[in-house]
């Protein structure tokens, strides 16, 4: 892919809400990188988006960190730039549709009659599964993925309580929960076996990435020992323990005994 800074054919003035992916600049979509290279104004959540992500931006692009800003600070900047015919990129970590606080931004932009578009990104759970070499949906074992968090300053609705989601024993990817890890561990252990391996994934895709696999019963102790507070996600999945058991849990899709539409029987 070649990206020419300053050349933005076919990119109309608008706010592009771009998923930056987990941190590794190579994990942004081609569309996201193309928009970033064309942007006149880039607003980025600096607490979660590493600055290397901005390497393809035009040198003259205005770059504003948003960790210490409110929507009321950011909105007028976006509106003014788009009305002046410029391209604005609002960069969010991972995929903007997950814990991105984009809902209120999009409502406010729509109200101000500012065109906007959301560009998906790779979420932390996908990057973590890739690093672990892990399929989260292993036939005969687990076929659902739950993306959730524990209640903190943002309350989780009662019907989505972690303990009740854990009862499904699905592949559960836990965001935003390191500060309340003891509580999370206790709720998970109500349903998953305490010895089941889980993954603790810190800053996946960042230069200081660390990933540990420990029994569920050590999830809180490890988090506290390593002082993990932010940018940590947990993968709790029966698929982790089943790694290396492909013979027993093989998918039918590529099995020689399974015929389907694209691979008829002899
Ligand atoms: C505000 S949420 C945003 C999630 C993001 N939109 C996504 O799709 O990954 C931030 C939380 O996502 C998780 N997270 C985001 N990036 C991560 C990364 N690179 N490594 C590990 N966890 C990450 C952590 O749980 C972090 O506290």
């Amino acid at each position: 892919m070649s990206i020419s800074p300053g050349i933005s054919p076919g990119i109309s003035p608008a706010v592009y809400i771009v998923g930056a992916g987990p941190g590794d600049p190579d994990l942004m979509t081609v569309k996201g990188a193309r928009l970033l290279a064309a942007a006149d104004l880039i607003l980025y959540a600096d607490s979660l988006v590493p600055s290397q992500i901005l390497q393809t931006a035009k040198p003259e692009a205005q770059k504003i960190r948003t960790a210490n800003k409110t929507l009321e600070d950011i909105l007028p900047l976006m509106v003014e730039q788009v009305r002046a015919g410029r391209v604005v990129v609002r960069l969010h970590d991972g995929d903007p549709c997950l814990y991105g606080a984009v809902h209120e931004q999009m409502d406010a932009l729509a109200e101000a009659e500012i065109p906007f578009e959301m560009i998906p990104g790779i979420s932390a759970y996908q990057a973590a599964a890739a690093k672990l070499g892990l399929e989260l949906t292993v036939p005969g074992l687990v076929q659902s993925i739950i993306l959730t968090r524990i209640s903190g300053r943002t309350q989780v609705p009662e019907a989505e309580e972690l303990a009740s989601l854990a009862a499904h024993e699905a592949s559960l990817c836990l965001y935003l929960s390191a500060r309340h890890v003891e509580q999370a561990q206790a709720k998970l252990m109500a349903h998953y076996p305490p010895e089941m391996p889980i993954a603790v994934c810190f800053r996946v895709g960042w230069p200081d990435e660390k990933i540990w696999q420990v029994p569920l019963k050590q999830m809180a102790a490890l988090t506290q020992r390593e002082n993990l507070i932010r940018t940590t996600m947990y993968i709790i999945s029966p698929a982790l323990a089943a790694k290396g058991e492909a013979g027993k849990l093989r998918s039918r899709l590529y099995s020689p005994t399974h015929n389907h539409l694209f691979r008829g029987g002899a």
Side-chain angles (χ1 to χ4, degrees):
M1 177 187 60
S2 80
I3 293 169
S4 320
I7 301 170
S8 46
I11 298 178
S12 19
V15 174
Y16 296 92
I17 300 170
V18 174
D24 178 348
D26 286 348
L27 290 181
M28 193 187 302
T29 63
V30 173
K31 185 166 186 176
R34 196 165 61 84
L35 289 164
L36 189 62
D40 302 297
L41 169 65
I42 300 164
L43 296 145
Y44 68 107
D46 47 311
S47 53
L48 285 159
V49 176
S51 53
Q52 304 93 283
I53 291 280
L54 303 178
Q55 67 197 15
T56 56
K58 296 190 281 196
E60 69 273 24
Q62 192 185 357
K63 301 168 191 94
I64 298 181
R65 299 162 190 255
T66 58
N68 62 357
K69 301 221 172 336
T70 62
L71 179 58
E72 286 67 21
D73 298 328
I74 295 167
L75 189 67
L77 297 172
M78 299 196 283
V79 169
E80 184 192 309
Q81 292 288 313
V82 175
R83 287 195 180 140
R86 303 204 180 97
V87 172
V88 176
V89 163
R90 175 76 175 106
L91 262 187
H92 283 271
D93 67 303
D95 189 312
C97 85
L98 272 168
Y99 308 117
V102 289
H103 173 91
E104 60 264 35
Q105 280 181 61
M106 292 191 288
D107 278 359
L109 290 169
E111 202 173 311
E113 297 183 353
I114 296 294
F116 62 88
E117 187 182 337
M118 191 154 103
I119 319 298
I122 292 178
S123 184
Y125 86 94
Q126 295 164 304
K131 280 287 164 88
L132 288 158
L134 183 67
E135 177 172 355
L136 293 167
T137 54
V138 178
L141 183 67
V142 57
Q143 286 291 284
S144 305
I145 303 172
I146 296 173
L147 309 177
T148 192
R149 59 169 299 169
I150 200 161
S151 274
R153 282 201 298 186
T154 304
Q155 286 296 303
V156 172
E158 211 178 310
E160 297 166 35
E161 234 289 308
L162 185 58
S164 66
L165 297 181
H168 296 283
E169 295 183 54
S171 287
L172 192 147
C173 306
L174 193 61
Y175 287 74
L176 294 162
S177 299
R179 278 179 204 276
H180 305 280
V181 66
E182 275 182 356
Q183 233 180 311
Q185 179 182 309
K187 287 173 193 277
L188 292 166
M189 274 175 34
H191 298 284
Y192 294 94
E195 300 294 340
M196 190 181 88
I198 59 124
V200 181
C201 311
F202 172 72
R203 295 224 228 205
V204 179
W206 289 57
D208 56 351
E209 163 189 295
K210 283 195 191 128
I211 299 181
W212 298 263
Q213 288 187 60
V214 291
L216 173 56
K217 65 181 185 188
Q218 288 173 20
M219 173 172 156
L222 175 103
T223 303
Q224 285 154 359
R225 188 189 77 212
E226 298 293 334
N227 199 21
L228 308 177
I229 299 169
R230 298 169 50 222
T231 330
T232 303
M233 81 151 335
Y234 302 92
I235 296 191
I236 296 94
S237 171
L240 263 172
K243 275 179 84 178
E245 297 194 359
K248 283 188 237 157
L249 295 167
R250 184 162 168 178
S251 157
R252 290 169 63 213
L253 191 60
Y254 293 102
S255 162
T257 58
H258 179 62
N259 296 325
H260 58 67
L261 188 61
F262 300 106
R263 196 178 58 228

